[in-house]
Amino acid sequence: MRHFGHIAPEVRKRLFHQEPCDFTPDSPTRLLSAALGATLYSPATRPRLADDIVKQAGRGVVSMVLCLEDSIDDADVVAGEENLVRQFADLASRPGADLPLLFVRIRVPEQIPDLVRRLGPAVRLLSGFVLPKFTEERGMPFLEALADAEAESGRRLLAMPVLESPELLYRESRVATLEGIYRAVDKYRDRVLALRLGVTDFCSSYGLRRAPDMTAYDVQIVASVIADVVNMLGRADGTGFTVTGPVWEYFRVQERMFKPQLRQSPFLEGKAVELREKLIEHAMDGLLREISLDQANGLLGKTCIHPSHVLPVHALSVVSHEEFSDAQDILRPERGGGGVLRSAYTNKMNEVKPHRAWAERTLLRAEVFGVANEDIGFVELLAGGLPD
């Protein structure tokens, strides 16, 4: 699989200076954690789930979570598990089908060995599990069950803990909770693919819900948690983990209070005025702003609940030609001693030692999402990635 692999080769050639790389479910976790992109959630109870998965893969989705937790009613868990097993068997019977990375969001640790056994040979299609309301105390049994199921099945199984518990939100318990989470995920570092933020649960603890005109970073209690999670769990010194962006809840807005947040000029230059109007109509201007703020705050990838959110996440994850040029200059072997240099675009200072970690992360993102051609911006990437 690859990002933008669903579009025609000639379109990719026009858009990309360096095309996204190929990867598989068995690729190194460092590469997969960067490549998750827009992770699309779907209730595990959907009757045509296998068809949905194949369809979304054909539209550019590279990671999906099939949910047995909050997205379905408590009374539907048993039926959801049964449906999941049937749908995996259906997918396994389709040789050559292009599939995304598939994860199952569960409720209790006991579901891990049970589902792995029930999936049988179709477990080869499973990349791992999403672990809800993760803290050290609640999370360790999940991770232990995952390790045991991996040993029993012979299939590498990865974990994506969701950070969404009240203990993490409350100031008086936040640091201790983060320290405990770090101990748990560090012990199972080779199995933890990424940490996911459950911002909807954060808001729930205070009876809040952000409007489509606002990002998660406009809700200060949420922004403070994101900052502390990145501070303690997302460091670039080799101790950190990939932290993914929070879900964007909206996909159509009937009425808005504030002006749209998308400037007109990039769309006029790209002759994509209708695309801008469509993005605004479907609340995508807020989503695009939040994606940009995710990246500025050290997050990579995003939880998505609607297929229309996938392309904006991927388009804004592509490395610009300017970013790529800066990163390459900073990481040149002859720059190992440090120093300061003017960027090739002659518009900024590149300081080799302070910007090294940024450059390394940028080149990893360039590997999985590609590098845009010099004259290509996010408008062209959005338009080019739309299905015919």
Side-chain angles (χ1 to χ4, degrees), residues 41-284:
Y41 275 53
S42 176
T45 51
R46 290 179 68 88
R48 299 183 62 85
L49 186 59
D51 291 336
D52 293 340
I53 290 169
V54 173
K55 178 181 177 181
Q56 295 306 328
R59 294 183 172 184
V61 173
V62 303
S63 62
M64 288 187 69
V65 172
L66 314 176
C67 186
L68 289 166
E69 207 224 1
D70 285 350
S71 70
I72 67 172
D73 190 276
D74 295 347
D76 293 333
V77 174
V78 171
E81 291 176 341
E82 293 172 351
N83 185 59
L84 201 63
V85 172
R86 285 195 302 271
Q87 301 295 332
F88 265 79
D90 184 347
L91 290 171
S93 70
R94 307 186 191 196
D98 291 326
L99 302 177
L101 303 171
L102 295 175
F103 301 86
V104 177
R105 184 177 182 179
I106 49 176
R107 295 182 174 218
V108 294
E110 293 75 20
Q111 287 177 295
I112 293 178
D114 180 56
L115 285 170
V116 167
R117 283 192 290 269
R118 290 163 67 183
L119 286 173
V123 75
R124 63 183 173 81
L125 305 179
L126 179 67
S127 289
F129 292 90
V130 175
L131 314 180
K133 299 171 178 59
F134 193 93
T135 62
E136 181 180 27
E137 181 180 1
R138 287 195 294 270
M140 285 300 291
F142 282 103
L143 292 171
E144 291 164 357
L146 185 81
D148 291 344
E150 181 181 271
E152 182 178 334
S153 67
R155 167 68 183 161
R156 182 179 76 166
L157 297 171
L158 301 172
M160 291 199 289
V162 185
L163 311 186
E164 56 187 345
S165 65
E167 300 97 313
L168 180 59
L169 186 62
Y170 300 151
R171 180 181 291 275
E172 66 271 21
S173 55
R174 185 180 303 173
V175 172
T177 301
L178 284 167
E179 289 174 340
I181 290 170
Y182 181 80
R183 286 191 294 268
V185 295
D186 187 51
K187 182 177 180 180
Y188 289 89
R189 180 173 290 273
D190 58 333
R191 291 186 175 88
V192 175
L193 183 61
L195 306 177
R196 310 201 71 89
L197 288 166
V199 165
T200 301
D201 280 45
F202 291 161
C203 291
S204 172
S205 296
Y206 288 88
L208 304 174
R209 185 174 191 178
R210 71 188 190 274
D213 300 298
M214 299 195 179
T215 70
Y217 302 91
D218 295 312
V219 183
Q220 290 302 299
I221 188 70
V222 170
S224 72
V225 180
I226 294 174
D228 287 343
V229 167
V230 174
N231 190 327
M232 297 184 68
L233 301 176
R235 299 177 185 180
D237 60 0
T239 67
F241 297 83
T242 294
V243 182
T244 65
V247 68
W248 181 257
E249 298 179 352
Y250 298 94
F251 44 88
R252 189 174 181 87
V253 176
Q254 302 299 328
E255 184 178 354
R256 61 173 62 238
M257 182 181 299
F258 301 109
K259 289 182 179 180
Q261 301 176 71
L262 282 179
R263 292 187 301 113
Q264 292 187 25
S265 54
F267 292 86
L268 293 173
E269 293 165 5
K271 298 181 180 179
V273 175
E274 290 184 5
L275 174 58
R276 179 179 181 271
E277 292 174 353
K278 184 177 180 181
L279 291 171
I280 292 170
E281 178 187 354
H282 291 271
M284 297 296 185

Side-chain angles (χ1 to χ4, degrees), residues 365-387:
R365 184 160 56 92
E367 187 175 357
V368 294
F369 288 102
V371 179
N373 270 320
E374 195 166 356
D375 59 342
I376 296 296
F378 80 94
V379 172
E380 289 83 5
L381 291 163
L382 281 171
L386 290 171

Side-chain angles (χ1 to χ4, degrees), residues 271-315:
K271 298 181 180 179
V273 175
E274 290 184 5
L275 174 58
R276 179 179 181 271
E277 292 174 353
K278 184 177 180 181
L279 291 171
I280 292 170
E281 178 187 354
H282 291 271
M284 297 296 185
D285 53 324
L287 171 61
L288 292 169
R289 176 164 172 74
E290 186 165 284
I291 296 166
S292 298
L293 289 168
D294 287 341
Q295 294 174 358
N297 284 277
L299 309 184
L300 183 60
K302 200 163 186 66
T303 295
C304 294
I305 47 84
H306 196 272
S308 63
H309 298 169
V310 172
L311 180 57
V313 174
H314 293 170

Side-chain angles (χ1 to χ4, degrees), residues 330 339-341 349-356:
I330 290 165
V340 177
L341 59 149
M349 173 194 75
N350 288 327
E351 195 168 353
V352 174
K353 288 183 178 179
H355 290 144
R356 174 169 291 275

